[in-house]
Amino acid sequence: ADIPQIGVGSWDLLVSPKNTTASIKAALQLGFRHVDTAKAYDNQVAVGKGIKEGLEAVGVKREEIWVTSKLFNDMHDKVEEAYNQTLKELGLEYLDLYLMHWSAGQPGGKGPHIFDYVEVWQNFPLAFIESYSMHSATWQQMEKLVEDGRVRKIGICNFAPSELFRLLRSAKIKPYVHQFELHPYLQQRWWEEWHKANGIKVTGYSPLGNTNPIYKGRSIENGDARDPHTSSIAERRGCTTAQVALAWGMKRGHVVIPKSSHEAYHKENWASLGCVEKLDFQDLKEIEYIGNRWLHRFNNPAKTWGVHLF
């Protein structure tokens, strides 16, 4: 009935379709009941096959798992078309959650490229932009999917505070989930607390930090020579550093969606559920110290896209 607190992510541009299918199937066989994907990952067909094979292997029904996908920037003015395409690729009749992938898009069909859209809005007076959410038209189309019974929940990804505040002014349906980068190196505690206070769930992607080949930086999974806290906590609690990072997220109340193409890592990630209760107040304070020392966002395409996202 509700989004499972741990899921399996599928964003990895270097994983082949065959491996993606095998990875999703293996995760479901291990116990995962939450799969996160997106049109932009360009692997929904393989993910859908993995879901189908996984369900058959463990003998559970579609309604016993949670599937999330996302609307990409170039389809903000064609939500229903994009949603239909996602269902077709996944081989599903509905999604549990559909997210607006990025705040950068082009409601109203203002051109096929993100740059065209941003340039149009940069020419408007700031007061006008502040009074009207640039995402209202897109959100209204997503709300219609809920009203028509085609998707269970809708939400957002990667919104800056000002963008979410503006969206809420016109939204009839409050976002169920906000998914954004969240891990011990990017804790964003005030933002996380704001969501809790306002009844919006938080999903933290990249919960292990740098575990995607597209990133070039630190890796919580492998520890960090400059910051040994996760390693020392892991040793004390009988967990791995990756499990500590995931358990920290779940302890804070986040949904976490680690990804891997290896069954052994799926097992390790799934076992992090057993580490949540092992973390005590002192452990959490040590991890909080990491967040005070480091503030590192691994995923920020703002420069590439030519927009200010955060």
Side-chain angles (χ1 to χ4, degrees):
D2 201 1
I3 186 169
Q5 198 172 18
I6 187 169
V8 57
S10 60
W11 177 31
D12 192 335
L13 302 181
L14 300 183
V15 174
S16 70
K18 182 178 179 180
N19 287 342
T20 298
T21 295
S23 175
I24 299 300
K25 177 183 178 181
L28 291 174
Q29 289 177 300
L30 285 168
F32 285 90
R33 292 296 180 263
H34 174 188
V35 177
D36 183 277
T37 187
K39 175 63 177 177
Y41 301 167
D42 197 28
N43 62 2
Q44 290 190 137
V45 172
V47 169
K49 289 180 179 178
I51 292 173
K52 182 176 184 295
E53 292 180 10
L55 292 179
E56 292 174 350
V58 297
V60 301
K61 299 178 181 179
R62 159 66 182 94
E63 55 266 29
E64 296 179 60
I65 68 169
W66 184 283
V67 182
T68 298
S69 190
K70 310 176 188 75
L71 171 79
F72 198 54
N73 305 331
D74 58 350
M75 296 296 283
H76 274 213
D77 58 335
K78 301 175 182 177
V79 172
E80 185 172 9
E81 179 182 336
Y83 185 71
N84 290 340
Q85 182 62 33
T86 281
L87 292 183
K88 181 179 179 181
E89 291 182 1
L90 289 171
L92 300 175
E93 295 182 356
Y94 71 94
L95 292 179
D96 297 277
L97 178 63
Y98 196 44
L99 304 174
M100 198 185 309
H101 202 158
W102 288 92
S103 61
Q106 51 280 82
K110 298 181 183 298
H113 301 297
I114 188 171
F115 309 106
D116 298 337
Y117 163 70
V118 172
E119 289 168 3
V120 167
W121 278 96
Q122 285 176 341
N123 293 327
F124 279 87
L126 180 61
F128 176 78
I129 295 176
E130 287 295 326
S131 66
Y132 178 78
S133 170
M134 293 180 283
H135 312 97
S136 291
T138 302
W139 190 251
Q140 287 169 8
Q141 294 177 67
M142 295 178 69
E143 289 176 327
K144 189 174 186 304
L145 292 176
V146 178
E147 292 164 355
D148 292 344
R150 302 200 58 212
V151 65
R152 293 182 59 206
K153 305 287 185 180
I154 53 176
I156 57 175
C157 298
N158 303 302
F159 269 51
S162 60
E163 294 168 330
L164 177 51
F165 299 158
R166 288 197 299 269
L167 177 64
L168 289 174
R169 293 176 186 173
S170 61
K172 291 187 296 181
I173 300 175
K174 182 167 61 177
Y176 174 73
V177 162
H178 187 182
Q179 183 180 130
F180 51 89
E181 184 180 343
L182 198 61
H183 47 71
Y185 292 138
L186 186 67
Q187 297 185 17
Q188 306 182 87
R189 289 190 294 274
W190 78 269
W191 192 213
E192 165 209 73
E193 291 292 346
W194 182 91
H195 284 78
K196 290 180 183 177
N198 287 274
I200 300 175
K201 296 180 184 295
V202 169
T203 293
Y205 70 74
S206 298
L208 302 178
N210 174 24
T211 58
N212 190 294
I214 200 170
Y215 296 157
K216 295 178 181 178
R218 293 185 294 276
S219 173
I220 296 172
E221 183 176 22
N222 299 321
D224 189 317
R226 291 167 294 181
D227 209 318
H229 290 82
T230 52
S231 298
S232 63
I233 294 171
E235 185 175 351
R236 288 200 306 270
R237 302 304 172 205
C239 302
T240 66
T241 53
Q243 289 171 342
V244 168
L246 296 176
W248 167 81
M250 290 185 279
K251 190 85 168 183
R252 295 286 298 173
H254 315 157
V255 176
V256 294
I257 47 172
K259 59 184 174 293
S260 178
S261 57
H262 302 286
E263 185 175 351
Y265 290 144
H266 280 319
K267 290 180 179 179
E268 180 182 356
N269 295 339
W270 180 248
S272 66
L273 287 165
C275 294
V276 175
E277 295 305 318
K278 293 181 181 180
L279 299 185
D280 63 15
F281 177 79
Q282 183 58 39
D283 297 330
L284 297 179
K285 294 302 291 184
E286 286 191 39
I287 296 175
E288 182 178 326
Y289 174 73
I290 297 174
N292 293 334
R293 289 188 64 195
W294 306 107
L295 181 63
H296 189 85
R297 187 184 302 279
F298 289 108
N299 185 30
N300 186 359
K303 185 176 181 180
T304 304
W305 289 354
V307 299
H308 180 69
L309 292 170
F310 303 109

